Amino acid sequence: MDERVAVRLTVNERPVEATVEPRCSLADFLREQLGLTGTHVGCEHGVCGACTVLVDGRSARSCLVLAVQLEGAAVITIEGLTPAGGLSRLQESFRACHALQCGFCTPGMIVTATELLQNNPSPTADEIRDGLSGNLCMCTGYVNIVRAVQQAAAP
Ligand code: FES
Ligand code: FES
């Protein structure tokens, strides 16, 4: 039987103290223990990118990270990138450009695109495609996603 392990971290800038099973993924911890269901779980083995969050400012696949590894870390989820009562500039661009259909991939896309724009505020279309290449979308064909990120980046 697994023993639970104590972990302390911040999630969306709020301190969290919890006990977790050693095998619990960060994705399951966020969704099931913290109720942050904006982080989606698709493939559960690091391929689709739906579960992407920021860990200490860098994108990470939360299905591949164990919650116990996050002691002292700062995690930002899609909820943390969403202003209270509104949408971020990037989220507005996704809506305006019709960059989603079912929306399953969208939280991961937004998280990855946020990191991309932090590192490269004026990316080319090719740089956006490259930056988002680890996030799979089954619906859109990607054209409007690239357009949305370009629009959000525009001064
Ligand atoms: S659910 Fe994590 S990469 Fe697909
Ligand atoms: S909008 Fe459906 S998977 Fe991307």
Side-chain angles (χ1 to χ4, degrees), residues 40-51 61-63:
H40 291 168
V41 176
C43 67
E44 294 188 80
H45 60 273
V47 174
C48 73
C51 66
R61 297 192 177 323
S62 61
C63 70

Side-chain angles (χ1 to χ4, degrees), residues 8-28:
R8 284 176 303 179
L9 65 159
T10 65
V11 178
N12 299 332
E13 300 183 348
R14 293 187 181 167
V16 171
E17 290 188 32
T19 61
V20 295
E21 292 184 9
R23 64 184 175 180
C24 178
S25 71
L26 174 58
D28 286 346

Side-chain angles (χ1 to χ4, degrees), residues 120-141:
N120 181 1
S122 302
T124 65
D126 279 348
E127 287 171 336
I128 294 169
R129 283 189 202 96
D130 190 49
L132 296 179
S133 60
N135 290 72
L136 304 185
C137 176
M138 295 172 288
C139 306
T140 64

Side-chain angles (χ1 to χ4, degrees), residues 59-148:
S59 59
R61 297 192 177 323
S62 61
C63 70
L64 295 184
V65 179
L66 295 174
V68 293
Q69 294 175 276
L70 275 295
E71 177 68 28
V75 175
I76 302 289
T77 69
I78 187 65
E79 289 89 349
L81 296 176
T82 306
L87 297 175
S88 69
R89 179 182 173 89
L90 197 48
Q91 288 167 324
E92 286 284 9
S93 290
F94 267 62
R95 184 168 71 172
C97 294
H98 306 290
L100 64 146
Q101 290 179 30
C102 79
F104 190 82
C105 70
T106 310
M109 289 283 183
I110 297 278
V111 172
T112 303
T114 297
E115 180 190 44
L116 171 69
L117 293 177
Q118 281 171 352
N119 294 335
N120 181 1
S122 302
T124 65
D126 279 348
E127 287 171 336
I128 294 169
R129 283 189 202 96
D130 190 49
L132 296 179
S133 60
N135 290 72
L136 304 185
C137 176
M138 295 172 288
C139 306
T140 64
Y142 301 98
V143 172
N144 287 353
I145 292 174
V146 173
R147 194 170 291 150

